[in-house]
Amino acid sequence: MSSAAASVIRTWAVPVPARKAKVPANYRAPRSNAKHLALRDDQPAKVYFGAMTGPAPLKARSIGSYAKGCLAGGTALPASGATWQVMRLSRNRNWGHPELIRFLEDLAQDAPALGWRGLLVGDLAQPRGGPMLSGHASHQIGLDADIWLTEMPNRTLTRQEREDISAVSMLKGPMDIKNADRSVDPRKWTDSRARLIKRAASDKRVARIFVSPAIKKALCDFEKGRDRSWLRTVRPWWGHHYHFHVRLACPKDSKGCKNQNPPPPGDGCGKQLTYWLSDEPWVPKKPKTPGKPTKVVKKKPMALAALPPSCKQILTAN
Ligand SMILES: [Zn+2]
């Protein structure tokens, strides 16, 4: 590709049908609204990737790492299936590597047998992956998915409802108070949720699942069987009490996809979890000096140059 071509994001390369000519069956309207945005290495990558409205029409490939990469050949999870519904459709973040889409369809299919009517699916990735204009450091290579801890209702939600409905927190109360009870609210948390996460964590395609430490504790208590190996995949993390986050391992077809190191051995229900449930990570150490504003260090957005070089081709492919 010439450098001139590479420096400009072109519209979807579909020949404009001649006047009066029949529109070919495979005609697709331009899918990128970022035409003529010049690609500059020093510019925030999220501006470019956030402007992409359609996938890069290439062979499916996750490129780079979960929080620094992009996606070729993205596939959309259909907005509704028999046992799933995608939320926040306006965000256009229901894209992923085909393996992620298959995984979600499989999990959704298994849900009813676990006592869970179906999935409400949150963000996956943008059509071409990459950093987003809001939220999420990861979700960049089409292998991450947020699944709500709220059960799918017994009807198809309207587009508007999918924008408006809020997920429900599983926590008893705030985590950042001294001696807080950092556990799940038994009025909200159910074994069906535990079974759903266990099913996801037991899937060979899954590398990690992120949940609130309170949920991790509930899962540690839930498993009464001898085989606790699935618990290793479930990791305590900040947030993640409205939804759980599934991360797949790099698919075989994805050269240049970087796996994370596997989680430490063991079920993760011991010392590490005790730490997560203590005041230590949550309660600020020093009392704030009155009148002295806390310094907020704003992180600079990731520049386009920080991504793998092939991500530029993902932006210009059409
Ligand atoms: Zn997430």
Side-chain angles (χ1 to χ4, degrees):
M1 187 185 294
S2 76
S3 61
S7 67
V8 169
I9 302 174
R10 288 164 298 164
T11 50
W12 198 253
V14 177
V16 177
R19 260 174 181 245
K20 282 180 189 161
K22 246 185 149 183
V23 178
N26 62 353
Y27 174 75
R28 290 161 94 182
R31 306 264 315 257
S32 165
N33 57 10
K35 51 188 169 184
H36 312 316
L37 262 183
L39 293 187
R40 279 183 43 188
D41 277 344
D42 60 341
Q43 291 301 301
K46 63 182 179 183
V47 174
Y48 300 116
F49 283 95
M52 294 288 128
T53 55
L58 304 164
K59 206 171 142 278
R61 185 157 81 98
S62 297
I63 302 162
S65 50
Y66 299 96
K68 198 182 274 186
C70 58
L71 172 67
T75 304
L77 178 68
S80 302
T83 50
W84 81 81
Q85 294 182 40
V86 177
M87 304 301 283
R88 311 293 190 256
L89 291 167
S90 65
R91 294 181 182 175
N92 195 25
R93 290 178 180 172
N94 53 325
W95 297 84
H97 187 284
E99 188 149 303
L100 179 68
I101 307 306
R102 275 194 297 273
F103 163 79
L104 289 167
E105 290 173 350
D106 292 347
L107 182 65
Q109 191 174 20
D110 289 357
L114 305 169
W116 192 251
R117 191 181 296 116
L119 312 179
L120 292 182
V121 181
D123 286 354
L124 312 183
Q126 301 177 129
R128 302 187 189 202
M132 299 181 185
L133 287 165
S134 61
H136 307 296
S138 66
H139 291 251
Q140 292 193 23
I141 56 177
L143 299 176
D144 293 287
D146 288 342
I147 300 169
W148 285 27
L149 287 161
T150 303
E151 194 175 17
M152 189 186 91
N154 196 10
R155 65 192 175 84
T156 306
L157 297 168
T158 65
R159 264 191 97 86
Q160 193 57 47
E161 284 173 318
R162 297 184 199 210
E163 298 298 319
D164 298 341
I165 292 176
S166 301
V168 177
S169 169
M170 294 295 118
L171 300 182
K172 224 175 213 173
M175 305 283 266
D176 57 355
I177 292 169
K178 211 171 180 319
N179 299 318
D181 178 356
R182 298 185 182 91
S183 48
V184 292
D185 185 339
R187 290 168 306 174
K188 294 169 187 156
W189 179 254
T190 55
D191 280 0
S192 57
R193 289 171 168 85
R195 285 191 293 267
L196 181 68
I197 295 175
K198 179 177 178 176
R199 156 66 182 84
S202 307
D203 195 297
K204 288 223 156 55
R205 293 166 285 194
V206 173
R208 267 180 172 77
I209 291 178
F210 299 100
V211 295
S212 162
I215 293 175
K216 170 78 186 191
K217 177 71 169 60
L219 295 171
C220 290
D221 295 345
F222 163 81
E223 182 54 74
K224 302 281 191 277
R226 269 187 127 197
D227 182 6
R228 299 176 67 80
S229 55
W230 64 276
L231 283 163
R232 182 184 176 194
T233 305
V234 186
R235 311 311 301 178
W237 200 243
W238 310 98
H240 296 89
H241 45 97
Y242 293 91
H243 70 264
F244 65 103
H245 174 148
V246 179
R247 171 168 293 170
L248 299 196
C250 287
K252 282 202 185 81
D253 64 14
S254 292
K255 240 182 108 192
C257 174
K258 284 190 208 120
N259 276 308
Q260 236 176 313
N261 290 331
D267 62 13
C269 295
K271 246 198 202 154
Q272 210 190 1
L273 184 57
T274 310
Y275 167 81
W276 268 106
L277 293 169
S278 73
D279 284 349
E280 191 76 10
W282 302 98
V283 183
K285 292 222 180 58
K286 283 179 221 148
K288 284 175 198 144
T289 322
K292 214 179 165 191
T294 330
K295 241 194 188 171
V296 180
V297 183
K298 245 197 159 178
K299 245 177 131 189
K300 242 183 131 185
M302 192 186 295
L304 184 57
L307 295 180
S310 45
C311 286
K312 268 201 224 176
Q313 279 129 49
I314 297 309
L315 285 172
T316 53
N318 58 35

